[in-house]
Amino acid sequence: MDFEELTKVMRELALQAGDKIMEIYNGDDFEVRSKSDESPVTVADEAADAIISAGLRAAFPDIPLVTEEQAASHKVSARTFLIVDPLDGTKEFIKRRGDFTVNIAYVKDGVPVRGIVYAPARERLFYTDAEGASVEEHGAFALEKQGQTTPITVSKPDNDALLVVASKSHRDQATDDYISKYTTADMKSAGSSLKFCLVATGEADLYPRLGRTMEWDTAAGHAVLNGAGGHVVRFDDHTPLQYGKPAFENPFFIAYAPGVALEKP
């Protein structure tokens, strides 16, 4: 894989998809339908998916592509592949709360090694560079030219005053019970894969997820967190979260900065 080319392509496609999503977001009311699993989908999900999948297939025709909005791709069996959630946080999009993202990742041998997370309504753009280190880009995002970037890195957590982030739309008692095992200084909620990025930038130390997610929900944020020095492990046994699993379904997991003294379930 040419990682310079991959970074360039992922960035351009994420920005293009983000522009289309915001065009719909800022327009008149849009139709919301339910998929077979009863999760919502909008024209923005589908339009963003069309942009990203066409671009990735043109640039990397020999690499398997898995994308949330194309059910046929969920039958792919691979350990090295591209994976996309064109609009993560559809519920946030529908409620016009802004915490939604465009996610593109490259998984190699079961590990998300490169990724991009773009939150167009928040004007935040995170990605791994060609060397695999994570950065946040600032300013007006131009398709043809990368703007100013700042390296991002996880915090040095204080276990007596942890900063915790949890899901905005999927918070439950089990999550609260687990968080209560820690001594926290601040607790915030965020939508979509932004939670991984808040840990990656040091804005949070810990993100536990005790709920159903799919690999396309997590791969890009996981890659960004990896590139910032963080980790994502299974909730049950604290082993690294792997990708290319059957049906691309994740177990519960914990994303965190090294130094957090993880509590057992």
Side-chain angles (χ1 to χ4, degrees):
M1 171 60 73
D2 181 340
F3 286 123
E4 286 193 9
E5 179 67 11
L6 177 64
T7 300
K8 178 176 179 290
V9 169
M10 288 197 306
R11 180 184 174 279
E12 289 178 358
L13 292 175
L15 290 174
Q16 289 173 356
D19 286 347
K20 174 57 70 173
I21 289 168
M22 292 306 295
E23 177 186 320
I24 297 166
Y25 183 74
N26 291 324
D28 295 331
D29 287 345
F30 41 81
E31 179 186 4
V32 180
R33 304 189 310 279
S34 292
K35 295 189 284 190
S36 59
D37 63 358
E38 299 186 356
S39 63
V41 63
T42 72
V43 65
D45 298 77
E46 295 165 341
D49 182 69
I51 291 168
I52 296 169
S53 59
L56 290 176
R57 287 189 172 115
F60 309 105
D62 299 326
I63 300 177
L65 174 63
V66 178
T67 174
E68 179 182 11
E69 302 307 333
Q70 297 179 34
S73 74
H74 305 171
K75 298 177 182 178
V76 166
S77 178
R79 294 279 290 167
T80 296
F81 53 94
L82 292 157
I83 187 163
V84 173
D85 189 343
L87 176 49
D88 183 29
T90 301
K91 291 179 181 177
E92 302 298 316
F93 177 86
I94 292 167
K95 294 175 182 177
R96 298 184 189 271
R97 293 200 298 212
D99 276 9
F100 50 84
T101 56
V102 179
N103 297 330
I104 309 172
Y106 174 63
V107 174
K108 182 177 181 182
D109 296 329
V111 179
V113 295
R114 297 292 188 278
I116 185 164
V117 175
Y118 178 37
R122 298 286 184 240
E123 298 183 340
R124 298 195 76 175
L125 178 61
F126 310 90
Y127 51 89
T128 51
D129 64 17
E131 285 72 45
S134 291
V135 299
E136 180 172 4
E137 184 174 331
H138 308 279
F141 305 126
L143 279 178
E144 66 281 358
K145 184 179 180 181
Q146 183 186 80
Q148 178 186 354
T149 62
T150 301
I152 59 176
T153 186
V154 295
S155 63
K156 294 181 179 179
D158 177 354
N159 283 289
D160 292 322
L162 289 175
L163 308 176
V164 181
V165 62
S167 175
K168 184 174 290 184
S169 297
H170 302 280
R171 184 82 170 267
D172 58 15
Q173 189 60 49
T175 301
D176 287 341
D177 289 346
Y178 181 69
I179 292 171
S180 71
K181 294 174 179 283
Y182 296 89
T183 303
T184 60
D186 185 52
M187 176 71 213
K188 64 181 71 175
S189 296
S192 69
S193 56
L194 275 173
K195 295 181 286 293
F196 289 98
C197 298
L198 294 179
V199 179
T201 60
E203 294 168 70
D205 305 314
L206 176 70
Y207 160 39
R209 181 57 183 263
L210 283 69
R212 184 175 185 266
T213 61
M214 307 300 289
E215 292 185 12
W216 46 77
D217 297 316
T218 62
H222 188 163
V224 169
L225 182 52
N226 280 349
H231 301 304
V232 183
V233 296
R234 294 174 58 106
F235 181 76
D236 53 3
D237 60 10
H238 295 177
T239 59
L241 184 66
Q242 292 285 304
Y243 288 74
K245 300 182 294 296
F248 300 97
E249 188 166 357
N250 286 326
F252 297 171
F253 63 82
I254 308 167
Y256 66 102
V260 173
L262 292 184
E263 295 286 348
K264 293 293 185 182

